[in-house]
Amino acid sequence: MEFPGLEALVAISDAGSLSAAAQATGIPRTTLARRLERLEAELGDVLLSRSETGVAVTPPGELVLEHARPILTAYSQLLETGRQAAGVRAGPTGSDPGGDRT
Amino acid sequence: MRPLRLQALLAVAETGSIAAAARREGTGRAVIRRRLEELGNAIGAPLTTRAGLRVELTPAGEAIVGPAQALIAQTEGLRRLFEQRDTPVGHYRVAGPLGLAPPVTTRVRRLARQVLPGATFELITDPDPISLLETDADFALAFGPILPPGPWKTTRLITMNERLVATPEYLAKHGTPRHLDDLDDHQLVVWRRPGHGARSLPLSDGGSHPVTPWLVSNDSWFVWNTALGHEAICLLPYGPLPDPASRAELVPVLDGVVHRRCTLQAVFPAGSMSLPRLRTVWRLVRAVVAEF
């Protein structure tokens, strides 16, 4: 996972809430929330507005989402390109590095 | 958001050594090795191999150099998009006092459009708007000049006058007070400014005049509506840009006698100045207000 913040943003906005995103991805909601907060701090803007009923994507969040989806798709393709070059059939389960470390 | 593992791969590809890559990335060799290993694990194959003193890319490593360059450029583009914005376009949660009356809200809305033309807002009203800072609101609008102690950065938005007003209809029916003591014969409704009592009227000479209000409220819009309903003489904050309709309907009472300055301030948590989106708002608000 090279883009944990972008993945968290996409997952939460797609699922509609932190809890639903945690269920869909298998990533604890505290981890998702932390990754999103880091991305927001890095970009200096609120990307999702939180409420008791769920989340809503803010205008800057929409802007990031427009870029995040192509970036994540390109990253998946990059991994696949590497696998094909190495003659590896599929990505090893669970070996994708956690994105919180640098 | 920096793709550190992809950057490590490019650094090794371009320098041919872990040590040089570490220097270029401003980190240690162990970190570069770990990043390469993590990326290799995601693919399922090593990306580098030793060739004497140099490090060479494996076929998998070679294959992803081009896509990695493109991906790094994509993420840098997104980052620059945010860094280069000189006008915030975000969503701001603003805590405001209860019952801001039309002359004040008109001015605040104009300021918001001028300072943040691309932004959207949520206004959350509360008797103590400052209490919402750092949890529910990005910044607060609060009556001042005296604020609760705290690590705040404040700037004055509007200077208002607290004064007595009534409708011509009310005064025609109940008479126009000429002296402070005449107020004893009237229904008096008083806006209680945060941090102040409501049992005395502020006087222009700095003194005060004791009164027994019929009704006290911390909601200035409620007091405003009471005045417009021809029900009472009301003490309320009167802004510099009255709503034209309201101005025609309300007239000052004991003008020049009962009076106190009051300000509406924008209050930011001092710690929020490290966030570009709030630092920019702070700077823009101060610049615009200074022009008035």
Side-chain angles (χ1 to χ4, degrees):
Chain A
M1 190 186 296
E2 185 73 336
F3 303 99
L6 298 182
E7 291 202 354
L9 175 68
V10 170
I12 299 166
S13 67
D14 284 353
S17 75
L18 258 175
S19 305
Q23 210 162 13
T25 60
I27 300 170
R29 37 176 299 160
T30 50
T31 305
L32 284 174
R34 188 178 64 239
R35 290 175 179 176
L36 179 67
E37 281 168 13
R38 282 185 185 175
L39 180 64
E40 289 181 327
E42 187 180 352
L43 294 176
D45 222 325
V46 175
L47 306 177
L48 294 177
S49 63
R50 290 79 153 172
S51 72
E52 288 178 5
T53 53
V55 296
V57 183
T58 64
E62 294 284 2
L63 187 65
V64 177
L65 276 175
E66 280 176 28
H67 290 75
R69 295 185 197 281
I71 285 172
L72 295 178
T73 301
Y75 180 61
S76 294
Q77 289 169 347
L78 175 148
L79 295 180
E80 191 51 38
T81 299
R83 284 177 197 127
Q84 286 177 2
V88 177
R89 283 192 178 275
T93 306
S95 64
D96 198 5
D100 289 350
R101 285 198 297 168
T102 55
Chain B
M1 197 176 59
R2 289 185 193 281
L4 297 171
R5 297 164 190 85
L6 300 181
Q7 286 180 194
L9 177 75
L10 284 193
V12 169
E14 290 165 14
T15 63
S17 101
I18 298 285
R23 278 195 299 275
R24 199 177 92 172
E25 292 297 298
T27 187
R29 283 177 289 181
V31 173
I32 295 292
R33 283 196 197 93
R34 193 189 76 221
R35 289 174 183 169
L36 290 174
E37 187 185 339
E38 288 172 345
L39 187 57
N41 286 343
I43 288 171
L47 303 175
T48 57
T49 181
R50 280 186 181 278
L53 290 175
R54 291 184 61 80
V55 173
E56 291 183 350
L57 299 186
T58 63
E62 290 283 1
I64 65 171
V65 164
Q69 285 171 328
L71 205 41
I72 289 168
Q74 257 180 295
T75 53
E76 277 306 303
L78 176 57
R79 182 196 307 281
R80 274 199 301 275
L81 208 58
F82 274 74
E83 282 178 355
Q84 291 173 354
R85 287 183 312 164
D86 51 4
T87 304
V89 296
H91 183 75
Y92 292 89
R93 295 165 302 160
V94 185
L98 275 179
L100 285 173
V104 178
T105 54
T106 302
R107 176 69 172 270
V108 169
R109 283 195 297 270
R110 284 182 190 170
L111 265 173
R113 288 197 193 95
Q114 187 175 354
V115 172
L116 303 163
T120 56
F121 300 93
E122 177 182 358
L123 176 66
I124 311 154
T125 54
D126 192 275
D128 182 10
I130 291 179
S131 69
L132 301 182
L133 286 175
E134 292 175 332
T135 52
D136 299 301
D138 297 309
F139 59 93
L141 308 176
F143 287 109
I146 300 166
L147 297 173
W152 318 127
K153 297 267 291 180
T154 65
T155 189
R156 175 188 53 80
L157 295 178
I158 302 172
T159 300
M160 293 169 287
N161 300 303
E162 278 180 77
R163 56 167 60 165
L164 292 173
V165 295
T167 56
E169 289 85 345
Y170 173 91
L171 296 174
K173 187 173 176 183
H174 300 280
T176 301
R178 303 292 173 198
H179 305 283
L180 285 167
D181 291 341
D182 295 344
L183 291 172
D184 294 344
D185 302 325
H186 290 267
Q187 295 261 49
L188 194 61
V189 175
V190 169
W191 171 64
R192 186 171 55 75
R193 173 175 162 179
H196 290 73
R199 295 275 167 182
S200 63
L201 297 177
L203 302 182
S204 305
D205 61 9
S208 62
H209 177 74
V211 290
T212 305
W214 169 64
L215 197 156
V216 174
S217 175
N218 61 350
D219 182 337
S220 67
W221 183 216
F222 174 83
V223 178
W224 192 274
N225 275 323
T226 305
L228 289 175
H230 320 301
E231 296 175 47
I233 294 175
C234 299
L235 179 77
L236 47 76
Y238 207 78
L241 293 174
D243 176 0
S246 301
R247 183 167 48 188
E249 292 170 7
L250 292 177
V251 296
V253 174
L254 291 172
D255 198 21
V257 178
V258 176
H259 174 259
R260 176 167 56 192
R261 288 236 183 254
C262 173
T263 58
L264 186 71
Q265 306 187 81
V267 185
F268 294 74
S272 71
M273 293 297 107
S274 62
L275 296 175
R277 61 189 293 271
L278 290 178
R279 197 171 55 237
T280 307
V281 173
W282 163 258
R283 183 172 51 76
L284 291 172
V285 166
R286 285 181 70 86
V288 168
V289 169
E291 289 175 9
F292 288 127

